């Protein structure tokens, strides 16, 4: 509004004062009368720095309160790492080693400082360029959190607070610093006002940033903190997005990925171990060349791999639902075993949970298969493992039932032999080997359900880890087998949805399914109980057409 006044009405005296103010700290002496009031250069630079500092501090504080990983400062840092050329990242790692993170944050602070000075200098006349830059920072923050796999809407609060506070600070200080601005209501000298407000903003930013840091890290090793760290880390291998048409939830199959809260749970734990990630360590010992002890930080320093895996319990009866699929995030277990060096003769890795109450025995040769994809998992669907699914670390071996492979809360891996030691369920009569058997299940029509007579949609799931499914067939009553339509394949280690249509006249019917694996081997019709190593047989559903 001040600018809106016709410049020509300003007395040369006033204009002279603007000029003097604009150049007072630059030691430039000139008689040129500047037509537009400008904030002096140094003042403008410090306003830019204060506004950006206030923005980042406000964002950091809000993030610390609601969702530490949504801090714009961290978002910028992670963005910088993601965008940095590989040679620079390697250079930083080899030059600074473990100090690469602080060095990175420091470097980033310098770049931000320069940018903030630029913002200030661009806003000498009007605050708009700075306002735009801060809005841009907020939008970048939005993009950074929105692209994170574990995005929740509260993550938008921190970047919004950052942009909002930054803009308010910039406009307020700009108004105070602009030469010739009207006197403040308090009657206080404008310069004193500017200095006071600047000091307040500076201290406020320091306090808010520090408080945000404290709050965000208050529960070191907590699930929240681990989730935040996982979201901040670049994954070396990302699970491809689930393709459209990989599941038919609209027909009644499960969604392709199981929500963490819906993931089936099986364990013998009366109390879930509550060890934090900070307290966690894994000992790898026994028949190894060198014993290893890994901390949680050691794990996170390794390449993080995200893999879509279907997990199944050996106790899954034909047609049952102890089966779920998730994007596990973890590190390569095979590489860790190779680093420890497996001694000749060892055929079992005995894994133990942190409470010492449960063990699983996994064949060494399966764990060492290069394509098996065995993981020490730290995350599920973009979050830290839920407590009931093994927080902070569990084992995952695609293609093996959970009881021989998927130790939750794992803290000990002993390389040994099956002759020497027997795992928990082995001692109770279950089988030594637990490869997942090829199976299929009908989800619709529901057992004992009724559906209109005529064309009836049949749909469900089939699995044959690790090679995958090549064919699913359904049969109505004693009719011929007809080939079902397979959903888009995600991988051999996951379930495959299918659907078919059958003609059902009014009355009671039985529909049956069978699956064939990628090698052309059809699942056996022979019924076997779950004990000792998994059920077999075709799944049938009785329904009535009305
Ligand atoms: N510590 C521990 N880990 C365990 C078990 C257990 O009882 N204790 N059960 C196993 C079994 S039988 C299965 S099927 C899977 C189930 O994992 P989930 O509960 O995450 O689905 O975990 C495995 N890991
Ligand atoms: Mo299981």
């Amino acid at each position: 509004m001040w600018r809106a006044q016709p410049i020509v009405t300003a007395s040369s005296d006033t204009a002279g004062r603007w000029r003097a103010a604009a150049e007072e700290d630059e030691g430039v002496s000139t008689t040129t009368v500047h037509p537009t009031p400008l904030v002096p250069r140094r003042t403008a630079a410090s306003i830019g720095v204060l506004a950006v500092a206030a923005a980042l501090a406000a964002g950091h504080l809000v993030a610390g309160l609601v969702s530490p990983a949504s801090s714009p400062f961290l978002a910028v840092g992670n963005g910088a790492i993601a965008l940095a050329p590989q040679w620079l990242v390697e250079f930083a790692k080899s030059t600074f080693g473990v100090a690469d993170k602080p060095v990175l944050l420091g470097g980033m602070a310098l770049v931000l400082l320069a940018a903030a000075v630029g913002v200030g200098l661009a806003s000498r006349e009007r605050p708009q360029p700075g306002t735009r830059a801060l809005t841009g920072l907020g939008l970048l923050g939005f993009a950074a959190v929105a692209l994170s796999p574990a995005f929740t809407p509260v993550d938008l609060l921190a970047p919004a607070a950052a942009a909002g506070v930054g803009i308010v600070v910039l406009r307020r200080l700009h108004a105070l610093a602009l030469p010739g601005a009207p006197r403040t209501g308090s009657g206080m000298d404008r310069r004193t006002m500017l200095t006071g407000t600047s000091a307040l903003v500076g201290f406020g930013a320091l306090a808010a940033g520090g408080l945000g840091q404290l709050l965000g890290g208050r529960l070191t090793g907590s699930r929240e903190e681990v989730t935040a760290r996982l979201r901040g880390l670049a994954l070396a291998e990302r699970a491809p997005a689930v393709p459209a048409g990989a599941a038919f939830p609209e027909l009644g199959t499960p969604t392709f990925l199981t929500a963490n809260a819906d993931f089936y749970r099986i364990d013998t734990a009366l109390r879930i171990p509550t060890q934090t990630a900070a307290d966690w360590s894994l000992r790898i010992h026994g028949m190894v060349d060198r014993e290893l002890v890994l901390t949680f930080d050691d794990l996170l320093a390794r390449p993080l791999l995200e893999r879509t895996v279907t997990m199944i319990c050996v106790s899954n009866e034909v047609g049952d639902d102890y089966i779920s699929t998730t994007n596990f995030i973890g590190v390569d277990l095979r590489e860790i075993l190779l680093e420890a060096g497996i001694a000749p003769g060892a055929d079992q890795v005995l894994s133990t949970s942190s409470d010492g109450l449960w063990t699983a025995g996994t064949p060494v040769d399966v764990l060492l298969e290069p394509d098996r994809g065995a993981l020490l998992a730290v995350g599920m669907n973009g979050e830290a493992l839920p407590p009931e699914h093994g927080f902070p670390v569990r084992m995952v071996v695609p293609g093996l039932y959970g009881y021989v492979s998927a130790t939750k809360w794992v803290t000990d891996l002993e390389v040994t032999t099956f002759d020497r030691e027997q795992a928990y369920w082995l001692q109770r009569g279950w089988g030594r080997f637990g490869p997942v058997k090829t199976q299929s299940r009908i989800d619709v029509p529901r057992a004992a359900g009724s559906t209109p007579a005529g064309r009836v949609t049949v749909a469900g799931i089939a699995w044959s880890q690790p090679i995958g499914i090549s064919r699913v067939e359904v049969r109505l009553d004693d009719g011929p087998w007809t080939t079902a339509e397979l959903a888009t394949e995600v991988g051999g280690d996951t379930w495959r949805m299918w659907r078919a249509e059958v003609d059902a006249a009014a009355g009671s019917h039985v529909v049956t399914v069978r699956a064939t694996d990628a090698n052309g081997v059809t699942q056996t019709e022979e019924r076997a109980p779950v004990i000792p190593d998994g059920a077999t047989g075709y799944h049938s559903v009785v329904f009535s057409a009305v």
Side-chain angles (χ1 to χ4, degrees):
M1 31 150 195
W2 210 85
R3 274 261 298 162
Q5 290 179 16
I7 299 290
V8 284
T9 63
S11 73
S12 66
D13 192 54
T14 319
R17 270 199 275 115
W18 299 338
R19 194 247 317 132
E23 286 162 5
E24 67 194 349
D25 35 25
E26 287 154 35
V28 179
S29 150
T30 164
T31 51
T32 317
V33 170
H34 206 293
T36 325
L38 288 180
V39 173
R41 214 163 259 170
R42 242 176 247 175
T43 312
S46 40
I47 289 176
V49 171
L50 283 169
V52 170
L56 292 175
H60 209 57
L61 175 60
V62 172
L65 284 168
V66 296
S67 170
S70 66
S71 166
F73 189 68
L74 297 180
V76 174
N78 292 321
I81 298 180
L83 294 177
Q86 193 55 35
W87 62 264
L88 186 62
V89 175
E90 289 307 321
F91 170 80
K93 276 216 189 93
S94 58
T95 314
F96 305 113
V98 288
D100 65 341
K101 289 278 155 14
V103 168
L104 174 94
L105 287 177
M108 211 174 76
L110 281 181
V111 172
L112 272 174
L113 188 70
V117 167
V119 165
L121 291 180
S123 316
R124 290 178 68 196
E125 186 186 338
R126 298 174 302 135
Q128 274 75 5
T131 309
R132 256 178 250 132
L134 287 162
T135 308
L137 179 77
L139 290 177
L140 272 180
F142 276 9
V145 293
L147 291 176
S148 146
F151 169 75
T152 56
V154 292
D155 296 342
L156 296 175
L157 289 176
V165 167
I167 289 169
V168 167
V169 166
L170 183 92
R171 295 186 71 94
R172 181 89 195 101
L173 292 181
H174 185 272
L176 283 171
L178 199 63
R183 283 179 86 63
T184 56
S186 63
M188 202 191 275
D189 170 37
R190 205 167 45 79
R191 201 152 231 298
T192 317
M193 226 6 219
L194 177 63
T195 315
T197 312
S198 297
L200 208 67
V201 169
F203 283 120
L206 278 180
L211 188 60
Q213 186 66 20
L214 270 180
L215 290 172
R218 74 205 146 198
L219 300 162
T220 310
S222 69
R223 208 183 151 242
E224 291 69 24
E225 195 227 23
V226 171
T227 296
R229 286 179 70 186
L230 288 180
R231 292 167 56 169
L233 288 168
L235 300 177
E237 189 184 300
R238 200 169 248 290
V242 173
F248 308 121
E250 68 283 1
L251 299 182
T253 73
T255 53
F256 196 86
L257 293 176
T258 313
N260 287 354
D262 299 336
F263 203 94
Y264 85 90
R265 176 185 169 195
I266 299 275
D267 55 62
T268 59
L270 295 178
R271 288 177 42 194
I272 293 176
T274 53
Q275 196 177 39
T276 69
D279 300 334
W280 181 88
S281 68
L282 175 69
R283 180 167 167 241
I284 299 143
H285 62 109
M287 297 170 70
V288 292
D289 298 339
R290 59 203 78 79
E291 196 173 311
L292 294 180
V293 175
L294 297 173
T295 65
F296 196 76
D297 285 346
D298 292 336
L299 285 196
L300 290 202
R302 304 177 74 94
L304 287 178
L305 314 171
E306 187 182 36
R307 291 184 179 147
T308 313
V309 176
T310 294
M311 186 176 283
I312 309 148
C313 182
V314 68
S315 298
N316 196 60
E317 302 279 359
V318 172
D320 224 343
D321 58 1
Y322 293 142
I323 177 167
S324 301
T325 300
T326 193
N327 280 331
F328 279 113
I329 297 173
V331 303
D332 193 323
L333 177 53
R334 174 177 181 266
E335 277 180 8
I336 290 172
L337 293 174
L338 290 178
E339 279 172 32
I342 307 248
D347 60 5
Q348 172 180 228
V349 171
L350 188 78
S351 48
T352 308
S353 55
S354 58
D355 52 16
L357 298 176
W358 197 81
T359 52
T362 312
V364 163
D365 52 1
V366 172
L367 290 171
L368 293 187
E369 281 172 28
D371 296 332
R372 177 61 62 163
L375 295 174
L376 282 176
V378 294
M380 270 169 86
N381 287 337
E383 291 177 12
L385 294 176
E388 64 275 25
H389 295 296
F391 180 82
V393 183
R394 77 176 304 171
M395 263 175 69
V396 174
V397 186
L400 297 186
Y401 288 122
Y403 82 108
V404 290
S405 68
T407 304
K408 304 192 269 194
W409 317 291
V410 65
T411 50
D412 191 283
L413 298 182
E414 182 187 356
V415 181
T416 177
T417 66
F418 280 107
D419 287 345
R420 202 178 299 169
E421 299 205 62
Q422 296 219 304
Y424 185 91
W425 285 114
L426 230 65
Q427 296 167 27
R428 289 158 179 81
W430 293 74
R432 171 186 290 194
F433 303 110
V436 172
K437 297 176 178 176
T438 301
Q439 267 295 347
S440 47
R441 182 185 84 187
I442 297 166
D443 292 326
V444 279
R446 300 260 164 232
S450 72
T451 179
R455 286 191 92 55
V456 172
T457 297
V458 187
I461 59 176
W463 61 94
S464 180
Q465 293 175 317
I467 58 175
I469 292 290
S470 66
R471 187 160 26 110
V472 168
E473 296 157 289
V474 295
R475 180 178 67 188
L476 187 70
D477 304 319
D478 295 323
W481 288 103
T482 59
T483 305
E485 179 199 335
L486 293 177
T488 311
E489 179 160 45
V490 170
D493 290 327
T494 65
W495 55 21
R496 185 101 182 250
M497 277 64 173
W498 56 267
R499 65 176 166 194
E501 285 190 334
V502 295
D503 279 314
S508 179
H509 297 281
V510 51
V511 62
T512 306
V513 65
R514 69 177 185 193
T516 300
D517 72 17
N519 290 338
V521 179
T522 301
Q523 69 176 91
T524 175
E525 186 173 9
E526 204 177 309
R527 291 233 147 223
V530 293
I531 189 165
D533 57 9
T536 60
Y538 295 169
H539 186 215
S540 290
V541 161
V542 176
F543 69 98
S544 54
V546 289

